[in-house]
Amino acid sequence: RNNQNRNHHHHNPRDSNIRHQRALLATPAALKMTISDTNASHEDHSLMLLPPSQTISESLTALAHSTSRELEVVWDEIGLSPEERADQLTDLLLAFRSACEQKVKSEREVCENYRQMIVDYKEEIRDTSMALKVEADETLLLPRPDPETFSRSSIQQGHNGPLLSLQDEVYTLEVALENIRNVAQVAKKELQRCSDSLVDNHDALGLEIDPKWMDVESDLTRPRIEMFQEKVVELDALVNTRTSAVVQLIRDCQELLDAMRIFDEPQTQQGANSNSNKELDSKIMTSLFKDENKNLRIVSIFPTDTCTGISATTLDDLTRRISELHSEKRRRKAKLGEMGAVISELWEKLHVPNEEQR
């Protein structure tokens, strides 16, 4: 939500046309927009935009007066009848009313945008201060008074002096937010880094993660950050221990699979190389690699199509598989012993010389 609020806050609610118009009205001196012929010399033939010291009504009155005189001159030249002039004036007034209504609507939307920004900023100050466990400036969080009932010359509802404009209040809140945002940003970044690491380690180990390790918003204090960091160290150690155990099991399984030539056996043969073990055996044979120091490493701590990973399920499967392979090795040794005894007996009966037996 805070990210959405920040994106909204940085959006300027005034479009370029509004800014341009206000820039014109803010000019210290009166500006003239000539609407008559460029060669006209009469003062009545120009439209005045009065300086901001004049009221809006005076500016509009001057505009209407100037326009009416211009139109009277043009209509006299054209020769319009009173009825035709009335029709033209009606169209002009309707267009002017529509423009005024649109302008008022647009400015009300700007006003509402500022009001919403103020509400969002105050909520962000309150939430962020709470997360940082610092005291927020309560004078900034007071509800905004109704400008129609607010006295600009007295102290009311915790406000000193005149009521701040919406733009001024937004700026004041942005200044207040700047510092706590910077502190919160650093804390959130570190908490998010720790949280991501914990999520990865839990996934690799096949463990359920406690939801509290996913919360990087509600508490941004130093003790909270240190708790996350300690948990990361703990999980990293557990991952390393599990990885070492898995690597040793995979290595032992590889040696037994190679020694017994399990992959050379026919597809139909059951026992140590049954279909239920083929996928696991295939992963076992491709899960390790040697690093630049000739040390065995696991390809990935996460399970893939060609790697076992290090999850608790993987540890159980490898432990079971190594037990099956050892049992199969003992069975084969016993079988070879029985077959060797039978062969020796046959050699004796056939009087096969020792040299040939060797």
Side-chain angles (χ1 to χ4, degrees), residues 292-349:
E292 56 186 12
N293 297 320
K294 306 300 182 182
N295 295 318
L296 283 176
R297 304 287 184 187
I298 193 164
V299 173
S300 172
I301 61 175
F302 302 102
T304 67
D305 292 339
T306 57
C307 184
T308 61
I310 64 169
S311 68
T313 301
T314 294
L315 188 64
D316 292 341
D317 289 342
L318 291 174
T319 302
R320 172 188 57 78
R321 187 57 177 147
I322 196 71
S323 177
E324 291 176 353
L325 291 173
H326 278 303
S327 296
E328 178 65 13
K329 182 177 180 179
R330 288 192 296 271
R331 186 190 70 79
R332 293 190 181 194
K333 278 188 175 181
K335 186 66 175 177
L336 287 173
E338 293 174 4
M339 294 174 65
V342 172
I343 291 172
S344 295
E345 184 179 347
L346 290 174
W347 282 344
E348 271 184 40
K349 291 180 179 180

Side-chain angles (χ1 to χ4, degrees), residues 3-176:
N3 288 335
Q4 293 173 350
N5 288 342
R6 283 196 291 275
N7 291 336
H8 173 62
H9 298 158
H10 293 156
H11 173 68
N12 191 334
R14 301 176 179 275
D15 60 27
S16 58
N17 289 333
I18 293 175
R19 289 198 300 271
H20 179 64
Q21 292 168 9
R22 289 192 171 166
L24 290 176
L25 291 175
T27 305
L31 300 179
K32 294 185 177 182
M33 297 175 59
T34 302
I35 60 174
S36 61
D37 189 282
T38 55
N39 296 323
S41 59
H42 297 290
E43 184 180 354
D44 292 342
H45 290 176
S46 61
L47 174 64
M48 292 291 275
L49 291 180
L50 299 180
S53 60
Q54 303 296 325
T55 65
I56 295 177
S57 61
E58 289 174 333
S59 298
L60 293 178
T61 300
L63 172 62
H65 183 68
S66 173
T67 303
S68 66
R69 284 191 289 182
E70 290 285 341
L71 289 176
E72 287 291 346
V73 171
V74 175
W75 288 343
D76 285 343
E77 183 177 355
I78 295 174
L80 294 183
S81 66
E83 292 79 8
E84 291 173 325
R85 297 185 184 208
D87 290 341
Q88 292 291 328
L89 182 59
T90 299
D91 292 341
L92 176 61
L93 291 176
L94 289 175
F96 180 68
R97 174 181 291 178
S98 176
C100 290
E101 290 175 349
Q102 184 60 38
K103 183 61 177 176
V104 171
K105 178 182 178 182
S106 173
E107 291 302 294
R108 283 177 176 167
E109 290 175 353
V110 171
C111 182
E112 184 57 34
N113 283 342
Y114 272 117
R115 290 182 181 277
Q116 187 59 48
M117 288 169 69
I118 290 171
V119 171
D120 292 342
Y121 277 164
K122 289 181 178 181
E123 182 180 358
E124 184 180 351
I125 290 175
R126 187 179 295 107
D127 292 345
T128 305
S129 298
M130 186 179 302
L132 292 170
K133 301 296 188 290
V134 296
E135 291 292 331
D137 186 350
E138 291 298 328
T139 59
L140 295 175
L141 305 180
L142 293 173
R144 182 176 176 82
D146 185 352
E148 295 182 1
T149 60
F150 185 84
S151 173
R152 294 180 176 274
S153 61
S154 64
I155 301 174
Q156 294 183 357
Q157 303 182 29
H159 291 269
N160 296 328
L163 178 66
L164 286 176
S165 69
L166 291 173
Q167 288 180 326
D168 288 341
E169 186 167 358
V170 166
Y171 175 75
T172 301
L173 293 173
E174 285 178 339
V175 171

Side-chain angles (χ1 to χ4, degrees), residues 156-254:
Q156 294 183 357
Q157 303 182 29
H159 291 269
N160 296 328
L163 178 66
L164 286 176
S165 69
L166 291 173
Q167 288 180 326
D168 288 341
E169 186 167 358
V170 166
Y171 175 75
T172 301
L173 293 173
E174 285 178 339
V175 171
L177 268 172
E178 184 175 359
N179 288 334
I180 61 174
R181 272 180 177 168
N182 291 337
V183 175
Q185 180 87 17
V186 173
K188 284 180 183 179
K189 184 177 180 180
E190 177 60 14
L191 286 173
Q192 190 62 60
R193 182 194 69 81
C194 292
S195 179
D196 292 343
S197 176
L198 291 174
V199 169
D200 288 343
N201 285 342
H202 276 80
D203 287 345
L205 294 168
L207 302 175
E208 245 347 275
I209 187 170
D210 191 321
K212 72 179 181 180
W213 303 116
M214 308 286 288
D215 179 10
V216 297
E217 298 282 346
S218 63
D219 188 348
L220 304 177
T221 59
R222 171 49 55 180
R224 175 76 167 176
I225 294 174
E226 291 174 351
M227 183 174 68
F228 268 62
Q229 292 171 339
E230 290 171 1
K231 188 65 176 178
V232 169
V233 172
E234 176 188 335
L235 262 292
D236 284 344
L238 183 55
V239 167
N240 291 335
T241 301
R242 175 71 64 80
T243 301
S244 297
V246 169
V247 168
Q248 186 59 51
L249 283 171
I250 292 175
R251 181 179 180 181
D252 293 343
C253 286
Q254 286 180 349

